[in-house]
């Protein structure tokens, strides 16, 4: 069971401080390792912050030895009430640079508050001095991070990191989302309009479209998630890609299925065709915006494919 901070002894407070500094140093090391390939300048910044934390840990261990001997009890963050439970963002690959910087700010704030509270519970002069010095250092860490960022992350590097962030966003979100949207919007055209023209019934067309959209979403989601784990391609967590791809696939199909909730068949069909035109236009714009495809070229490719599938559905449904 976690203990209250006010119930800790001086020995336990020092032991906890050692653990916190060691954990923070290792997290900063993981940040540096995860960012080194894509964001080398920011990785260098976290290398120096890791060394700072290691220096704090060595000072705390020396003070502990002088006061309490060689054995340092294992007291961790989750053993004491009041600490923030951090999500292990440092285990995700590839790391997002903005997420990492925000996490580092939270960690430094938490360390500063810990030392300020710890001073109130110790009486030994040498320990109070050390904790006070560390609290002051933590207060300066924001300035240190800023100075290190100025040193290693200048305007040119920032532009490079922004470009890298954009590439990662395209790889991890845009590509699977676009693949799903294209599949959902185009592949479901044939069954939806075949059912519509075969039955001339809006409810029947809606049920077919709903089934096709949801089924395609599930299929595409699993296919994307199982395609690769992202460790070599940098495409991010497979489950995230799978959810994005599956959701966009279902959304692409449901978009031109919803008009068939209209009971009037001719009005529903007209509305569905208008929605299809909007979907194909949106796909063309996304390809132009994020895939650097000329808009007219993207529109031509998407529209031709969509029209062919659309006509296929009408011909089969009308036969």
């Amino acid at each position: 069971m976690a203990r209250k901070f006010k119930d800790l002894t001086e020995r336990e407070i020092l032991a906890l401080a050692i653990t916190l500094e060691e954990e923070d140093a290792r997290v900063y090391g993981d940040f540096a390792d995860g960012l080194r390939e894509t964001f080398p300048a920011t990785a260098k910044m976290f290398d120096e912050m890791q060394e700072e934390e290691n220096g704090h840990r060595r000072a705390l261990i020396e003070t502990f030895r002088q006061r309490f001997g060689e054995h340092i009890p294992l007291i961790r963050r989750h053993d004491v009430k009041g600490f923030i439970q951090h999500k292990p963002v440092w285990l995700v690959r590839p790391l997002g640079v903005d997420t990492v910087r925000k996490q580092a700010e939270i960690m430094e704030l938490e360390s500063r508050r810990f030392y300020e509270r710890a001073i109130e519970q110790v009486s030994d002069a040498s320990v109070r001095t050390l904790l006070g010095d560390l609290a002051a250092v933590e207060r300066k860490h924001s300035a240190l991070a800023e100075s290190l960022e100025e040193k290693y992350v200048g305007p040119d590097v920032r532009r490079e990191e922004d470009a890298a962030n954009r590439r990662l966003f395209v790889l991890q979100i845009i590509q699977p989302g676009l693949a799903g949207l294209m599949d959902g919007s185009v592949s479901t055209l044939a069954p939806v309009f075949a059912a519509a023209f075969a039955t001339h019934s809006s409810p029947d067309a809606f049920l077919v479209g709903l089934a096709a959209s949801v089924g395609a979403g599930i299929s595409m989601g699993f296919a994307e998630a199982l395609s690769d784990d992202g460790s070599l391609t940098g495409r991010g967590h497979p489950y995230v890609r799978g959810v994005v791809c599956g959701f966009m696939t279902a959304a692409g199909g449901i978009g031109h299925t919803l008009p068939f909730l209209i009971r009037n068949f001719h009005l529903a069909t007209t509305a569905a065709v208008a929605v299809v035109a909007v979907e194909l236009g949106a796909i063309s714009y996304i390809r132009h915006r994020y895939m650097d495809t000329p808009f007219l070229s993207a529109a031509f490719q998407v529209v031709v494919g969509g029209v062919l599938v659309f006509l296929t559905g009408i011909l089969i449904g009308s036969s």
Side-chain angles (χ1 to χ4, degrees), residues 94-201:
L95 283 174
V97 66
D98 291 330
T99 300
V100 164
R101 286 174 179 156
K102 183 177 180 180
Q103 182 74 23
E105 290 176 6
I106 294 173
M107 291 167 58
E108 294 298 336
L109 175 61
E110 186 180 51
S111 296
R112 175 174 65 82
R113 293 178 63 186
F114 164 74
Y115 286 122
E116 289 173 348
R117 288 188 60 195
I119 293 172
E120 300 173 0
Q121 290 191 218
V122 299
S123 57
D124 183 81
S126 62
V127 176
R128 286 177 62 88
T129 299
L130 176 60
L131 295 179
D133 290 343
L134 292 176
V137 169
E138 298 297 342
R139 281 193 291 270
K140 294 177 182 177
H141 260 193
S142 295
L144 171 64
E146 291 177 4
S147 65
L148 289 175
E149 187 163 344
E150 290 175 0
K151 179 180 178 182
Y152 294 114
V153 190
D156 292 339
V157 172
R158 174 66 73 178
R159 282 193 292 271
E160 291 176 3
E161 290 190 351
D162 289 342
N165 263 334
R166 184 178 184 276
R167 289 194 296 271
L168 291 176
F169 177 69
V170 169
L171 279 173
Q172 298 169 17
I173 303 298
I174 296 298
Q175 281 190 355
L178 180 60
L181 184 60
M182 290 179 64
D183 185 86
S185 298
V186 176
S187 68
T188 57
L189 286 176
V192 171
F193 284 95
F197 280 87
T199 64
H200 285 80
S201 168

Side-chain angles (χ1 to χ4, degrees), residues 48-97:
E48 292 205 13
M49 294 182 73
Q50 179 186 23
E51 188 55 37
E52 280 273 324
E53 300 301 306
N54 284 330
H56 298 169
R57 177 176 56 83
R58 288 190 290 269
L60 285 164
I61 290 175
E62 183 58 32
T63 300
F64 188 96
R65 283 173 174 161
Q66 294 174 3
R67 289 273 293 136
F68 302 109
E70 291 294 327
H71 176 69
I72 302 174
L74 178 60
I75 303 178
R76 294 161 294 186
R77 184 179 265 103
H78 61 263
D79 296 328
V80 181
K81 293 180 180 179
F83 279 97
I84 300 171
Q85 297 301 314
H86 300 298
K87 293 182 179 180
V89 298
W90 49 89
L91 298 180
V92 179
R93 294 293 186 274
L95 283 174
V97 66

